């Protein structure tokens, strides 16, 4: 149980990524970059659906990172 709790916390920290507020015509845009420790096999831009936010897809982010795939996600304005 303690080991699984530590693993869950580690995965959560990894999935959160680095947040950067990018300038955008309508105001700042929240963008998260999830780099891989080694050169990535691929890069994915994750776009959430209507009435969602990108944080709902952290399990997908973790699964991609585990396969060596870098992820960038952002929150669409006016959704979620």
């Amino acid at each position: 149980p303690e080991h699984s709790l530590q693993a869950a916390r580690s995965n959560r920290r990894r999935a959160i990524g680095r947040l950067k507020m990018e300038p955008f015509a309508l105001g700042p845009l929240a963008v998260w970059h999830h780099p891989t420790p080694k050169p990535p096999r691929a890069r994915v831009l994750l776009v959430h659906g209507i009435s969602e936010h990108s944080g709902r897809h952290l399990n997908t982010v973790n699964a991609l990172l585990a396969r060596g795939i870098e992820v960038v996600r952002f929150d669409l304005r006016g959704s979620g």
Side-chain angles (χ1 to χ4, degrees):
E2 182 62 31
H3 178 273
S4 60
L5 179 60
Q6 288 173 345
R9 286 180 180 156
S10 175
N11 284 341
R12 176 85 175 137
R13 278 192 298 271
R14 182 173 63 166
I16 291 172
R18 293 188 306 229
L19 172 64
K20 184 175 182 186
M21 299 303 287
E22 294 287 344
F24 187 67
L26 301 174
L29 183 67
V31 177
W32 287 266
H33 178 225
H34 303 272
T36 55
K38 298 178 183 177
R41 293 177 42 207
R43 289 183 179 97
V44 170
L45 174 62
L46 185 69
V47 181
H48 64 77
I50 296 173
S51 297
E52 289 189 325
H53 58 85
S54 66
R56 292 191 58 182
H57 303 283
L58 294 179
N59 289 336
T60 302
V61 170
N62 276 332
L64 293 168
L65 289 172
R67 289 162 179 80
I69 300 172
E70 186 174 289
V71 180
V72 174
R73 63 185 172 95
F74 66 96
D75 284 328
L76 296 170
R77 297 184 60 85
S79 293

